[in-house]
Amino acid sequence: MNAEENEATPTDYGEFSRLEFLAHAYAIEREAEERYIELADQMETHNNPAVAEIFRKLARVEGLHALQILDQAGDRELPHIPPWEYRWRGTESPEAIDAADIHYLMTPHHALGLALKAEERALRFFSAVAASQKDAEVRKLAEEFAEDEREHVRLVKEWLVKIPEPAEDWAEDPDPSASQE
Ligand code: ZN
């Protein structure tokens, strides 16, 4: 399972310059935003508005974060990094949700469970970077980002306790013909 492999990503990402770090952070937030929007659209297509709404909220949080990063870069342009040259392994950023984990009948509980894993991966990435940087400014930035992700994790957990666990037969479609996409 891909998600499981992602849990075991190495924690040594090397030294970042300030702009390099911001470019990585920007890619993480943008990808998370896009993925959450995609998931929201998908859930709407499958007439699952409760889950769609959760993903929309998360997309907004990540999108705002991405804009803040551009602010932090000021008038400097973020370096353009091709996907395969990001410091994480593979082309998916740590906060991405694996498409293989998506089920069209998934409940709000499942959706939040996936979001929680994604936010925790982002938290681990930023914490690992914060712990390994020699440059004090980059270290401080990474700590701030880790703090933001910690907040996202808290938020998702808070929603998760309010949302009931699904029944055992949640994946059984009462009307399969309605769900061909
Ligand atoms: Zn996040």
Side-chain angles (χ1 to χ4, degrees):
M1 298 273 290
N2 270 331
E4 249 58 60
E5 279 164 31
N6 279 344
E7 315 291 344
T9 42
T11 49
D12 182 14
Y13 296 101
E15 297 288 323
F16 288 82
S17 72
R18 181 173 181 273
L19 282 179
E20 248 176 348
F21 172 75
L22 287 175
H24 278 74
Y26 185 76
I28 287 182
E29 311 299 347
R30 266 287 175 248
E31 198 171 323
E33 179 193 19
E34 281 163 20
R35 198 60 63 95
Y36 283 136
I37 289 174
E38 234 171 77
L39 289 168
D41 290 346
Q42 219 173 318
M43 290 305 113
E44 259 152 31
T45 304
H46 291 298
N47 203 12
N48 197 338
V51 175
E53 182 50 33
I54 287 169
F55 284 139
R56 294 247 179 264
K57 270 191 201 160
L58 286 164
R60 272 195 295 276
V61 170
E62 306 296 350
L64 280 175
H65 213 169
L67 289 179
Q68 279 167 17
I69 293 170
L70 291 184
D71 260 6
Q72 279 170 305
D75 47 16
R76 304 288 306 276
E77 198 154 329
L78 293 180
H80 205 85
I81 303 174
W84 55 90
E85 279 179 21
Y86 284 111
R87 305 281 182 89
W88 42 80
R89 204 192 298 181
T91 50
E92 298 261 295
S93 78
E95 200 164 3
I97 288 178
D98 198 319
D101 289 335
I102 308 301
H103 190 292
Y104 70 97
L105 287 177
M106 90 182 136
T107 65
H109 195 86
H110 292 118
L112 286 171
L114 293 179
L116 180 60
K117 278 192 180 174
E119 300 298 335
E120 283 174 343
R121 280 198 296 274
L123 171 58
R124 274 201 294 277
F125 173 77
F126 288 125
S127 305
V129 172
S132 65
Q133 298 304 296
K134 294 198 183 81
D135 184 302
E137 201 190 351
V138 179
R139 197 164 58 228
K140 189 165 163 283
L141 263 180
E143 273 159 16
E144 285 167 16
F145 278 85
E147 200 41 61
D148 285 331
E149 295 305 337
R150 208 167 281 126
E151 178 59 24
H152 298 173
V153 167
R154 200 192 54 75
L155 189 73
V156 173
K157 278 187 175 161
E158 201 180 278
W159 290 343
L160 206 47
V161 290
K162 287 190 215 145
I163 286 181
E165 279 199 50
E168 294 238 352
D169 62 351
W170 65 271
E172 277 163 38
D173 194 338
D175 182 10
S177 63
S179 54
Q180 300 310 325
E181 234 298 275

